[in-house]
Amino acid sequence: MEIFAQPAALHKVTKEQAQPMPRLSVIVPVYHDEMSIERTFDRLKNQLDQHCDEFMYEIILVNDGSTDNSLLVLEEIHRQHPDIAGIVNLSRNFGQVSATLAGMGSCSGDCVAAISSDLQDPPEMIPRMFKEWKSGARTVLGVREYREDPLTSKIASAIFYRLMQAYGIPLLPRSGFDLFLMDRSVVQHVLKNQERNSFLQGQILSASGNGVVQIPYKRTKRMLGTSGWTIFKKIKYFVDGFVAYSYAPVRFISALGIILFFLGIVLSCYIVTTTLLYGTKSVGWSSVMVAMLMLHGTQMMMIGVLGEYLWRTLDQVRGRPLYLIDYRKLPADREGSDHAA
């Protein structure tokens, strides 16, 4: 059941303006961020208010099944700022990608930005990204030029994105991106082609074509709370992206199978030749076991990689929803908007 807020104007346009001002929607996924979300909202609102002569805006806060007091903080923000703040409360934790998609499906902007709730990505970037969109860019990416993260996170991220760039998505920035702004047409394409276990960065670049602009920035260290982006979630996201946009694992299996096949032929010829020329000798069980273990290990690896593709196909065919909205409170009536949720 969905509960909607009472109608309220985003930012009224004066009658003197010949053309309506563009609408900007900012999506903020929230998961266990009760300590930082209010600070994030205030800083984001302060930045956007400085450009109220350029655009109208709304901030859609998506609670991704938080079990702390995040939802209570969001409700208070909505109560204090009903004209610009909206809430989308998911029934459980679906992950940051699904929360972002839920926000896209509930926003009304002509362009849509997404930013994390922990202030590692500076809100000051969004007005700069809006100007690039206004100049004709379909998608604007905030590319991490430097990140104040632990060394292990930096190494893992560098390996992941270099592999994705080399074997999956050549246009993917080497440092990746979490901060972005998209034109409404790109948002509609992403929402229309939702995938199970989706790699959102790949979907955005695929829908954007050549109209992508990159703006470098420095990603700062998280000051409050702890990140819910665990190592297991990072590994799953890597596998999702690599399997979805790269055939390298399948080609590796094919190449390995061909190599083993020809090695088997060569070894068979060698055994037959030595047997005919020198007779046979007893073979130790250790060599047999080593050969069996190597071959069976290779077979299991091949089956495992193929299984990754098969279970994703099954998951896609099932058609289960990517997210379930418990309720939402939207910030405006959006009268005259073509993008109302």
Side-chain angles (χ1 to χ4, degrees):
M1 178 178 182
E2 295 183 351
I3 303 175
F4 294 87
Q6 294 298 322
L10 276 170
H11 286 280
K12 293 184 178 179
V13 183
T14 61
K15 294 181 179 179
E16 290 75 14
Q17 291 176 301
Q19 297 294 331
M21 295 177 65
R23 290 181 295 274
L24 167 65
S25 296
V26 181
I27 300 168
V28 185
V30 179
Y31 181 66
H32 290 176
D33 286 319
E34 61 176 323
M35 299 176 62
S36 61
I37 185 57
E38 190 170 9
R39 181 182 174 189
T40 300
F41 179 85
D42 291 340
R43 184 170 163 186
L44 180 59
K45 179 179 180 298
N46 179 62
Q47 285 297 317
L48 299 179
D49 282 342
Q50 295 178 29
H51 299 269
C52 60
D53 59 334
E54 301 176 32
F55 52 73
M56 302 179 290
Y57 73 87
E58 64 180 358
I59 302 174
I60 305 297
L61 305 160
V62 184
N63 179 42
D64 187 21
S66 302
T67 56
D68 60 358
N69 293 321
S70 294
L71 182 58
L72 296 177
V73 177
L74 298 184
E75 291 281 4
E76 180 62 21
I77 291 175
H78 175 73
R79 188 187 66 80
Q80 294 181 6
H81 307 278
D83 55 336
I84 60 171
I87 300 174
V88 178
N89 183 47
L90 304 186
S91 60
R92 62 175 176 84
N93 177 245
F94 288 90
Q96 182 175 353
V97 172
S98 294
T100 303
L101 292 172
M104 290 182 189
S106 301
C107 67
S108 65
D110 298 299
C111 59
V112 180
I115 188 171
S116 60
S117 60
D118 53 16
L119 286 179
Q120 287 190 271
D121 301 323
E124 292 80 6
M125 286 284 293
I126 293 181
R128 293 179 57 192
M129 299 168 80
F130 175 83
K131 290 180 180 179
E132 293 291 343
W133 171 79
K134 192 72 173 174
S135 299
R138 297 187 67 196
T139 298
V140 186
L141 309 179
V143 179
R144 297 181 289 250
E145 191 175 41
Y146 175 79
R147 52 192 301 169
E148 295 180 356
D149 289 334
L151 181 61
T152 53
S153 295
K154 291 181 180 179
I155 294 175
S157 177
I159 293 174
F160 167 60
Y161 285 113
R162 285 178 186 245
L163 287 174
M164 284 299 303
Q165 188 183 58
Y167 298 104
I169 310 173
L171 295 178
L172 184 68
R174 281 202 167 183
S175 59
F177 64 91
D178 293 319
L179 174 63
F180 56 86
L181 183 146
M182 301 179 294
D183 182 75
R184 168 57 59 173
S185 61
V186 178
V187 173
Q188 291 175 336
H189 181 86
V190 172
L191 292 176
K192 182 180 178 181
N193 297 278
Q194 291 186 13
E195 301 176 3
R196 299 292 305 175
N197 309 291
S198 62
F199 183 64
L200 184 58
Q201 295 172 338
Q203 288 182 276
I204 292 172
L205 291 174
S206 176
S208 302
N210 294 325
V212 178
V213 173
Q214 299 183 14
I215 301 179
Y217 74 99
K218 179 180 178 181
R219 182 178 174 87
T220 59
K221 183 170 60 175
R222 186 184 180 109
M223 302 302 296
L224 298 172
T226 57
S227 174
W229 192 236
T230 63
I231 183 63
F232 298 104
K233 290 182 179 180
K234 291 179 181 179
I235 292 174
K236 182 184 182 301
Y237 195 59
F238 166 75
V239 175
D240 288 341
F242 207 71
V243 171
Y245 288 91
S246 175
Y247 293 101
V250 172
R251 291 173 179 170
F252 171 75
I253 289 175
S254 300
L256 184 60
I258 293 172
I259 293 173
L260 291 175
F261 174 75
F262 282 105
L263 284 177
I265 293 178
V266 173
L267 182 59
S268 298
C269 293
Y270 172 77
I271 292 174
V272 170
T273 302
T274 54
T275 300
L276 292 176
L277 294 178
Y278 305 108
T280 59
K281 295 182 179 180
S282 60
V283 180
W285 68 271
S286 58
S287 59
V288 175
M289 289 299 297
V290 169
M292 289 180 61
L293 289 172
M294 290 183 63
L295 290 175
H296 286 305
T298 303
Q299 290 173 348
M300 292 301 294
M301 180 188 68
M302 293 178 178
I303 293 173
V305 175
L306 291 176
E308 289 291 334
Y309 286 89
L310 289 175
W311 87 259
R312 280 165 172 75
T313 302
L314 174 62
D315 211 19
Q316 181 71 26
V317 171
R318 281 172 175 163
R320 294 172 178 171
L322 294 181
Y323 54 85
L324 295 172
I325 297 177
D326 187 20
Y327 69 87
R328 57 182 173 180
K329 298 180 180 179
L330 303 181
D333 60 350
R334 300 171 182 173
E335 184 176 353
S337 171
D338 296 329
H339 316 309

